[in-house]
Amino acid sequence: MTKAKSNAMSDFVLPIAVLVIICAVMSGLLALTNSATAPIIAEAERKANEEARLEVLSAADSFEKVEADGLPEAVKEVYRAANGAGYTFSITTQGYGGKNTLKMAVGIGADGKITGVKVLSHKETAGLGSKITSDENFCGQFPGLDANGAAGADTISGATFSSNYYKAAIADAFTAFEQVKG
């Protein structure tokens, strides 16, 4: 029996070259897919944010973006209702799932009271912390409250971290409200 001679070209260089070519082709296809879908995703996100603003401040007819300095770090966007009904705040903050894992929209009327709160996305513990989106006793207590009332709102038993992050996001919205209101 004879032993086959090892060839560096066929044993090492050729497999590496094939893998590099496969990776380059796949990267190109992923880049092409991303460039095709990015505008569609951005438009869907814009519509979802517009719907959330209308949901948390239903008395508004349309919105104007407000630019302000010194807002809390969690407040990403502020919109004023064109008809003076109030403001909406897009908040991205820390949740129990980590930094920037809790995204919310908060509406505050011209009278300084919450008109609505909507969790847009979160990474809270399923079945426990995720109750911040579905527990009617918890979510339902915020509309109609001012800053002091929201700070004293009840938490969800067993999900106090998530509840406290939710309340902190609302507190950031009130801080921003005080800075941007007329």
Side-chain angles (χ1 to χ4, degrees), residues 51-65:
E51 289 172 8
R53 283 192 290 277
L54 285 169
E55 187 174 330
V56 298
L57 189 62
S58 59
D61 54 358
S62 63
F63 294 97
E64 304 163 348
K65 189 169 185 175

Side-chain angles (χ1 to χ4, degrees), residues 46-101:
R46 185 195 66 73
K47 283 182 181 178
N49 288 335
E50 180 71 21
E51 289 172 8
R53 283 192 290 277
L54 285 169
E55 187 174 330
V56 298
L57 189 62
S58 59
D61 54 358
S62 63
F63 294 97
E64 304 163 348
K65 189 169 185 175
V66 175
E67 299 294 335
D69 294 327
L71 296 174
E73 183 181 335
V75 178
K76 303 304 179 194
E77 293 181 320
V78 178
Y79 286 87
R80 174 182 32 244
N83 63 358
Y87 296 83
T88 65
F89 304 89
S90 297
I91 299 173
T92 301
T93 189
Q94 177 173 336
Y96 191 68
K99 186 174 182 175
N100 296 331
T101 59

Side-chain angles (χ1 to χ4, degrees), residues 99-178:
K99 186 174 182 175
N100 296 331
T101 59
L102 180 59
K103 295 182 181 181
M104 300 171 54
V106 179
I108 300 177
D111 61 354
K113 295 185 179 178
I114 296 173
T115 57
V117 180
K118 179 177 180 157
V119 175
L120 303 173
S121 69
H122 68 87
K123 292 187 180 167
E124 304 304 298
T125 306
L128 195 57
S130 64
K131 288 182 180 178
I132 61 172
T133 64
S134 61
D135 186 319
E136 210 36 59
N137 292 327
F138 178 71
C139 300
Q141 69 182 328
F142 290 97
L145 296 180
D146 60 10
N148 294 329
D154 292 333
T155 59
I156 298 172
S157 178
T160 53
F161 284 112
S162 298
S163 302
N164 287 333
Y165 290 130
Y166 187 100
K167 289 170 52 175
I170 291 174
D172 285 341
F174 274 112
T175 300
F177 175 73
E178 289 302 320

